[in-house]
Amino acid sequence: MSRRVVRQSKFRHVFGQPVKADQMYEDIRVSKVTWDSSFCAVNPKFVAIIVESGGGGAFMVLPLAKTGRVDKNIPLVTGHTAPVLDIDWCPHNDNVIASASEDTTVMVWQIPDYIPMRNLTEPIVTLEGHSKRVGILTWHPTARNILLSAGGDNVIILWNVGTGEALLTLDDLHTDLIYNVCWNHNGSLFVTTCKDKHLRIIDPRQHLVVAERFAPHEGMRPMRAVFTRDGLVFTTGFTRMSQRELGLWDPKNFEEPIALQEMDTSNGVLLPFYDPDSSIVYLCGKGDSSIRYFEITDEAPYVHYLSTYSSKEPQRGMGFMPKRGLDVSKCEIARFFKLHERKCEPIVMTVPRKSDLFQDDLYPDTPGPEPALEADEWLSGKDAEPILVSLRDGYVPVKNRELKVTKKNILDSRPPTGPRRSQSTCDTNFSRSALEELLEELRSLRQTVQAHEKRISDLENKLCQFTNGTD
């Protein structure tokens, strides 16, 4: 009886390839802050990168097409007073991004489709509730305007960005620094890893740890965990001998791992990027120069090594493009944005296929930009699967949709130290600052128009001279 030696998989020959030099983003001063976040966030419209900045924290936002050398005077997003530690694009609005900082605040920004003329300094909303630095941000996958933040105060807060208020504060579930947070596919639960070596599955609306495992990896160095599409938990961590290790766990039975594999000896924390459509997990270590990828299946040994993309330069951070931002005509199944010290290099993961037709098996319907629930519905106990879209004809990003914030409570202003101002004074000050902002924008537009008029006049004069000369 013949035995099948090679496991059958359509992803067995996936290969990674960097883009050409002119399609990279050059001359970017990537942040040197010591923090294990990815420092880069991408969506079908923009790439955002946390950068070095004097006197506060900043990140840069570039339209995807703006490749090549980046102007050193390009406007940045500069509202924070201390280094930015994490950024995350809203999955339901490609022009909205959240940033978390050492200054204890979370800010939410509306990014215009064009490159602005000066730095963006005014967020749509500032979320204040943490007492120490905020290092983790993640948007809810299916509910509109819900953002989760985790800080150095061991507290997790769920915000309604549309009202600027804290919906839920989980301040007694973690005893030490939180390393990472990841929602499950419908946003009913999330998984956390923590410095106290506990892996926790949390139901935020019940304020409850529904499953817990102590030391899934025995080493002291940071762990990471992500949910798979089947509700399992994939983890990375270290053995007692400081070898890097990956694990696959069933939250219903945390006693024994489904899979546990040792990898190599290295200090870098492995950041897992999971694609639920293909069930491939990509492991990128900070300081590594490679991306390893594995397929998770229901056949033993459950986590199957596929291949490694290797390069010479170590990575400072990594961005991971959502599925709707990929080029389906080239059988692209993942795209990474690798941060070097001075540049950002896109890396394309491709399944080799001879046919130019749309490959249904590679591209099942994937979560689109429409939320399935409103924030209030989710808070009241409703769950919903993500609203899926087909990629058969490619995905066209929608135009800039403004995020409107209707405040129920004033989070932007700290308690006043002096005598309380009357409501009418507050309104006058607000309208005065809004008027000044409008006047400044009008002034800037007038200068631009004058410059264009002067250029038109010069061109007309040249045209006249040329016409007279030919006569």
Side-chain angles (χ1 to χ4, degrees):
M1 191 172 77
S2 63
R3 190 163 62 88
R4 194 176 73 201
V5 178
V6 180
R7 187 181 68 89
Q8 294 296 308
S9 169
K10 59 193 167 204
F11 301 115
R12 230 177 70 221
H13 301 293
V14 170
F15 67 97
Q17 208 167 21
V19 298
K20 292 178 178 150
D22 62 345
Q23 292 175 289
M24 298 180 191
Y25 306 87
E26 306 264 3
D27 244 15
I28 297 167
R29 296 191 308 143
V30 177
S31 173
K32 292 186 172 71
V33 70
T34 311
W35 187 251
D36 283 327
S37 77
S38 57
F39 286 6
C40 180
V42 290
N43 69 16
K45 279 187 173 184
F46 302 103
V47 54
I49 300 163
I50 303 174
V51 292
E52 281 288 285
S53 154
F59 61 97
M60 172 189 290
V61 178
L62 297 169
L64 284 185
K66 185 80 177 161
T67 54
R69 191 171 296 281
V70 176
D71 184 347
K72 68 174 188 289
N73 296 319
I74 193 164
L76 305 174
V77 184
T78 59
H80 289 286
T81 56
V84 176
L85 299 178
D86 199 12
I87 48 178
D88 196 27
W89 287 105
C90 176
H92 307 127
N93 188 332
D94 287 339
N95 292 75
V96 171
I97 187 169
S99 59
S101 166
E102 276 191 17
D103 66 11
T104 76
T105 67
V106 173
M107 293 182 176
V108 180
W109 307 84
Q110 181 96 31
I111 305 296
D113 283 335
Y114 56 89
I115 293 179
M117 308 222 3
R118 54 186 184 276
N119 287 351
L120 291 180
T121 57
E122 292 297 319
I124 314 168
V125 65
T126 301
L127 307 171
E128 296 175 304
H130 289 282
S131 60
K132 291 188 179 175
R133 67 181 183 177
V134 188
I136 296 168
L137 285 177
T138 177
W139 291 88
H140 193 283
T142 61
R144 190 193 306 273
N145 290 345
I146 291 184
L147 176 66
L148 179 152
S149 65
D153 48 9
N154 313 334
V155 174
I156 290 177
I157 303 178
L158 276 81
W159 308 90
N160 182 347
V161 171
T163 60
E165 64 179 338
L167 296 177
L168 299 164
T169 301
L170 310 175
D171 54 5
D172 55 357
L173 301 182
H174 297 86
T175 60
D176 212 330
L177 181 69
I178 299 161
Y179 285 141
N180 92 300
V181 181
C182 176
W183 291 98
N184 66 353
H185 70 292
N186 70 353
S188 58
L189 304 168
F190 58 77
V191 60
T192 67
T193 58
C194 181
K195 197 173 179 180
D196 63 12
K197 295 179 77 169
H198 283 262
L199 174 74
R200 296 174 174 89
I201 310 289
I202 294 170
D203 182 336
R205 290 169 295 192
Q206 301 291 329
H207 205 106
L208 196 65
V209 177
V210 295
E212 193 169 2
R213 161 82 198 201
F214 176 69
H217 302 282
E218 293 181 346
M220 292 302 296
R221 291 190 49 70
M223 292 184 291
R224 288 287 185 277
V226 292
F227 267 110
T228 72
R229 65 185 178 193
D230 301 319
L232 303 178
V233 174
F234 178 88
T235 59
T236 65
F238 293 80
T239 66
R240 199 172 283 155
M241 304 301 291
S242 291
Q243 276 204 302
R244 294 200 288 198
E245 190 174 45
L246 59 83
L248 187 65
W249 307 81
D250 184 351
K252 297 188 183 81
N253 177 21
F254 260 148
E255 292 304 309
E256 287 296 319
I258 297 170
L260 201 61
Q261 295 178 22
E262 287 185 12
M263 291 175 63
D264 59 6
T265 307
S266 179
N267 288 332
V269 175
L270 284 168
L271 306 179
F273 295 93
Y274 177 70
D275 172 20
D277 295 342
S278 60
S279 204
I280 294 177
V281 65
Y282 302 85
L283 302 183
C284 310
K286 271 202 161 182
D288 288 9
S289 52
S290 62
I291 301 171
R292 268 171 280 208
Y293 36 109
F294 298 79
E295 186 178 0
I296 299 172
T297 71
D298 49 12
E299 294 175 30
Y302 307 106
V303 181
H304 306 270
Y305 171 74
L306 289 172
S307 189
T308 300
Y309 164 79
S310 295
S311 60
K312 290 176 184 171
E313 297 286 322
Q315 53 230 16
R316 296 282 295 277
M318 195 69 81
F320 186 52
M321 176 67 81
K323 213 50 172 280
R324 54 199 171 88
L326 303 180
D327 187 346
V328 297
S329 66
K330 294 179 178 164
C331 295
E332 181 184 348
I333 62 160
R335 192 187 311 160
F336 289 92
F337 286 70
K338 173 181 171 178
L339 299 187
H340 299 245
E341 201 169 328
R342 300 283 300 190
K343 70 177 178 184
C344 173
E345 173 189 37
I347 296 163
V348 175
M349 297 286 180
T350 308
V351 177
R353 292 275 169 101
K354 288 178 181 173
S355 170
D356 290 336
L357 299 172
F358 178 73
Q359 307 292 312
D360 297 78
D361 60 326
L362 297 183
Y363 301 106
D365 289 356
T366 196
E370 290 303 318
L373 291 170
E374 295 301 323
D376 295 342
E377 292 177 302
W378 179 82
L379 192 61
S380 68
K382 263 191 174 180
D383 289 320
E385 299 297 308
I387 295 175
L388 305 179
V389 294
S390 169
L391 298 178
R392 178 173 289 278
D393 301 317
Y395 172 76
V396 180
V398 292
K399 284 185 180 171
N400 190 348
R401 292 186 296 184
E402 192 179 343
L403 171 62
K404 290 184 172 61
V405 177
T406 313
K407 290 198 171 179
K408 288 185 182 173
N409 61 348
I410 302 165
L411 284 164
D412 278 359
S413 58
R414 294 180 176 84
T417 51
R420 188 176 170 83
R421 294 181 297 173
S422 70
Q423 183 65 40
S424 60
T425 319
C426 292
D427 290 347
T428 313
N429 284 349
F430 171 76
S431 58
R432 197 171 290 156
S433 68
L435 184 64
E436 283 170 4
E437 202 171 341
L438 285 169
L439 285 168
E440 176 62 32
E441 194 168 346
L442 189 61
R443 217 171 285 132
S444 170
L445 283 168
R446 275 193 181 132
Q447 286 171 356
T448 311
V449 169
Q450 283 168 0
H452 284 311
E453 282 174 346
K454 186 176 182 306
R455 179 76 180 135
I456 289 166
S457 173
D458 291 346
L459 288 170
E460 282 174 342
N461 289 339
K462 280 183 183 172
L463 194 62
C464 285
Q465 287 168 10
F466 178 76
T467 314
N468 293 339
T470 50
D471 287 348

